[in-house]
Amino acid sequence: MNDILGLVDDPALVADLHRVVAAADRTLHEMSVPVPRRAWTDAAIVVLDASAAAACAAGYPRRPGVILVCSGPAGLADWQAAATVGAEHVLALPSEEVELLSIVAAADEPSTGAGTVLAVVGGCGGAGASTFAAALAWAAGNDERRDTLLVDADPFGAGLDVLTGLEECPGVRWSGLTVDGGRVSARALRDAVPVWASGVGVLSTDRENTDRLTAVAAESVVDGVRGAGATVVCDVGRSFDPVADAVIALADLTVVVVPARIGAVLSATRVARTLAARGEPAGVVVRGPAPGGLRAVDVSDAVGLDVLTSMRPEPGLSEMLERGGLRLRSRSPLLGAAHDVLAAVGADRAGPGRAA
């Protein structure tokens, strides 16, 4: 049975639960204790309050997927009731509706395991990695017609919602997402984050709080969305912090963006060595212009990574980013380079290599 069993008496909590279950496109089956044993054991998720937990503790077997909800911050009585019934989560409503939505939507959610994860990192400061990550997501979502999530995996970045022009759009950012492990529901996350003009979901950091962007949270999000068959493009910081490490370890390919300049190439060499030491599959995107005449093959030889593609400058990019965010036309150099990378990943995944 895929129903959500609700054992809640408080009208306000019941209203919150109805809203969450409807958003997750699930069915809520409301009952009062005592309930048939079969209803308890067969429900995908059991959501109850403290009084129901106390009533169920002795008469029903322990099972996974039990959630205790309460109005406002959980008190001692709530935690004691959760312990007696073996609840896996204690959530305050409505403040933690997003977490409940993720859990409810993920219950019995099929996993195809057929998605793709791409990590994008700058070979040097100011390489344009965030912009290229966004271009990859645009190409995957808009032109390749793939379910796509663009993930901000750089705690010190400006925020991908700014780059994509979504800073004023409602929706969940990292500061509004609490993940303690396990797999996040791709469906719930897709419904919660802002959607870019290309139809791509964007999970961004914001200017308020980056504490929620942890290695555990990043791994849960990326693994959950990839497991649902989607393409996940992650903008990764150059610091190789725990968040970057977690994302890169899951990536089918790490894309290193390298401007065709001597200083940038020297810096990118250190990035490439770090990736090589960990055995991570990686390649470079060489970004023009090349004031000293460096060719893509020269960059490849110096950095020690294969060239995925090279690209000329994007006309009007700086002005575009300042006025409404990134938008790509059909003949965009960024878009063309993004398609080259997606094609390379597709070819690699068709043969031997890292499984998703």
Side-chain angles (χ1 to χ4, degrees), residues 256 258 265-266 268-277 280-284 286 296-307:
V256 183
V258 185
V265 171
L266 293 175
T269 300
R270 292 192 287 272
V271 173
R273 286 174 182 164
T274 301
L275 294 170
E280 304 294 352
V284 295
V286 181
V297 67
D298 300 324
V299 175
S300 175
D301 290 343
V303 173
L305 294 175
D306 290 340
V307 174

Side-chain angles (χ1 to χ4, degrees), residues 132 135 139 309-311 314 328-342:
F132 192 74
T309 190
S310 59
M311 57 176 289
E314 180 83 18
L328 299 178
R329 51 191 173 79
S330 59
R331 295 186 178 182
S332 158
L334 269 169
L335 189 58
H339 281 305
D340 289 343
V341 172
L342 291 174

Side-chain angles (χ1 to χ4, degrees), residues 314-329:
E314 180 83 18
L317 178 61
S318 297
E319 182 179 2
M320 183 195 312
L321 295 178
E322 292 291 333
R323 299 185 178 183
L326 184 67
R327 298 293 183 273
L328 299 178
R329 51 191 173 79

